[in-house]
Amino acid sequence: MKSIKEITPIKTDDPFVILKHKNALFDYPLHFHNEYELNLITNFKGSRTVGDSVEKLEGTDLTLLGPELKHVWKSDNPISNAAVITIQFQEHFLHSKIMSYNVSKDIKKLLELSKRGIVFANPTKQKIIDLLLSIDNNDNFKSFLSFLEILHILSTSDDKKVLSSPPSANYSQKRESRRISLILNYVKHNYQKNIKLSQIANMVNMSESAFSHYFKKRTNLSFTGYLLDYRLGVVTKLLTETNMSINEISYTAGFNSLSNFNRAFKKKHSMSPKEFKLNYLKEVSR
C-alpha cells in the first residue's frame, strides 16, 4: 500500500509546532513525513496503523512516531467527537547540541526507538495530557521547557510499547555494543541465508553457550528468537508494500518451509499472512 509524504507546517527556526483539532475527521490517507510527531487523541474509536502494526482503539491514544514512519488513524464514527493534539519537531533535533549532553541520553534513546513508533499507557499518558494542555504555542521559553519535560517523562516511562517491526520501520539500533551491532548488522544483510548459531558465535569469538547468554542478556531475546522476529518483520513489510505472493515472500524472508513460515506468522499475529494483508489494506483504505 503506497503512502504519501506530508509537508508539515513547522518552520526551520521553530523548536516545535503544536496543532490542536476538535472533532477530527481522520480523513488523511496513509502518510509519512521527515519530522518526529507526538500525537494525543481523545474520545476516539477506530484503528491505528503505524508501520506494520494495526490496532483497534477506544478512548485515548498517545504515540510518538519517528521520521519517515508511515501511519494513519481511521475513525469508526462518521461524526467524530475526537480531539487531537499534535507536536511535530524536526529530525535534526536528535543530533542537536542539547542531545549531546549526558542528561539527554534517555531522550536520545527514546527518539531513536520512536522510528519504530511507540505507544504509551497510564500513568504516563495522564501526565503527558496535563502538560500538553498547558502548551498553547511555541514562541516562549516556558513552552519549550514543557516540551523538554514531556520528552523526559516519555524517555523514562515504563508504560511504553514499541509498535512496528524493525524492517518495516527501516530502524537500526545505533547504541548497542560493538559485538551486538556486528551481529544485528549481519542479520540485516544476510537474513535470507541459513544462519547458524555456531557461525554467529564464531564471528564474535565466543562459544555457543557464552554467546547465547550474552545475546539474551543484551537484547532480552534468544538469537534464534531475534532472527525469527526479524524475518517476520521482513514478511510484514513485503505484505504491506508489495504485491508479491505469499510463497515468494516466505522465500525472500529466509524461510525454507512454507508450513513453518505460516505456523510462525500465525503464532505472532494470530492470523494467516493472507488475513493480515487483507486486514491491513482494509484499515488503511477505508
Side-chain angles (χ1 to χ4, degrees):
M1 180 70 183
K2 288 187 176 181
S3 54
I4 66 171
K5 183 173 183 178
E6 178 189 7
I7 305 300
T8 62
I10 189 169
K11 299 177 182 177
T12 55
D13 55 352
D14 286 336
F16 65 90
V17 63
I18 184 163
L19 308 166
K20 298 184 179 183
H21 301 285
K22 294 181 179 180
N23 302 320
L25 297 176
F26 302 99
D27 54 357
Y28 205 72
L30 185 69
H31 64 284
F32 65 95
H33 40 70
N34 293 336
E35 292 75 25
Y36 292 93
E37 180 173 289
L38 177 66
N39 264 318
L40 171 67
I41 305 176
T42 55
N43 298 321
F44 179 74
K45 183 178 181 182
S47 66
R48 178 212 325 113
T49 300
V50 172
D52 60 9
S53 166
V54 180
E55 293 185 350
K56 290 289 187 179
L57 309 171
E58 187 168 1
T60 301
D61 191 40
L62 178 66
T63 56
L64 179 64
L65 310 179
E68 299 184 21
L69 180 60
K70 58 185 180 180
H71 56 278
V72 69
W73 279 259
K74 294 290 184 179
S75 176
D76 289 345
N77 301 319
I79 301 176
S80 174
N81 294 317
V84 182
I85 300 178
T86 300
I87 286 184
Q88 294 174 332
F89 54 104
Q90 294 172 3
E91 184 177 11
H92 63 68
F93 184 80
L94 177 61
H95 308 292
S96 63
K97 182 63 177 176
I98 196 171
M99 287 293 101
S100 67
Y101 298 127
N102 191 52
V103 294
S104 301
K105 66 180 185 299
D106 289 333
I107 297 177
K108 189 171 184 179
K109 188 175 181 179
L110 173 80
L111 296 183
E112 289 174 344
L113 189 60
S114 74
K115 294 174 183 178
R116 291 176 60 187
I118 307 172
V119 63
F120 298 88
N122 285 323
T124 299
K125 190 158 53 173
Q126 190 57 52
K127 293 178 184 177
I128 300 304
I129 289 173
D130 296 338
L131 277 168
L132 281 173
L133 292 173
S134 72
I135 301 177
D136 290 324
N137 52 58
N138 63 349
D139 60 2
N140 62 72
F141 196 68
K142 184 179 179 181
S143 293
F144 183 59
L145 290 178
S146 294
F147 166 65
L148 292 178
E149 185 179 1
I150 286 171
L151 292 181
H152 172 68
I153 292 172
L154 295 178
S155 71
T156 57
S157 169
D158 293 324
D159 311 313
K160 56 180 175 281
K161 182 183 77 171
V162 176
L163 293 173
S164 187
S165 65
S168 185
N170 297 316
Y171 169 79
S172 61
Q173 290 174 281
K174 298 179 180 179
R175 294 172 62 84
E176 292 291 355
S177 69
R178 182 190 63 81
R179 281 177 170 173
I180 293 294
S181 295
L182 177 67
I183 295 161
L184 301 189
N185 191 56
Y186 182 85
V187 170
K188 179 179 179 180
H189 295 287
N190 296 275
Y191 61 85
Q192 294 173 307
K193 299 178 181 177
N194 181 23
I195 302 175
K196 296 183 178 180
L197 180 63
S198 57
Q199 171 192 0
I200 300 299
N202 286 334
M203 283 176 56
V204 290
N205 298 314
M206 300 174 75
S207 68
E208 288 186 38
S209 60
F211 167 73
S212 296
H213 178 75
Y214 171 77
F215 191 87
K216 181 73 176 286
K217 185 177 180 180
R218 297 304 297 263
T219 66
N220 293 319
L221 287 170
S222 67
F223 175 73
T224 53
Y226 175 82
L227 179 59
L228 177 61
D229 271 357
Y230 192 92
R231 284 171 170 160
L232 289 173
V234 172
V235 169
T236 56
K237 181 178 175 68
L238 295 176
L239 284 172
T240 59
E241 296 183 2
T242 75
N243 290 318
M244 293 171 63
S245 70
I246 303 298
N247 284 353
E248 287 178 300
I249 289 174
S250 172
Y251 176 78
T252 301
F255 290 91
N256 55 17
S257 164
L258 186 60
S259 60
N260 289 341
F261 160 65
N262 282 320
R263 190 180 307 114
F265 190 95
K266 193 163 188 177
K267 183 177 180 180
K268 180 173 183 178
H269 295 284
S270 300
M271 63 181 76
S272 70
K274 183 178 180 180
E275 290 169 331
F276 179 93
K277 180 163 188 171
L278 291 173
N279 183 58
Y280 180 90
L281 291 175
K282 176 184 174 183
E283 291 300 330
V284 301
S285 301
R286 65 189 177 97

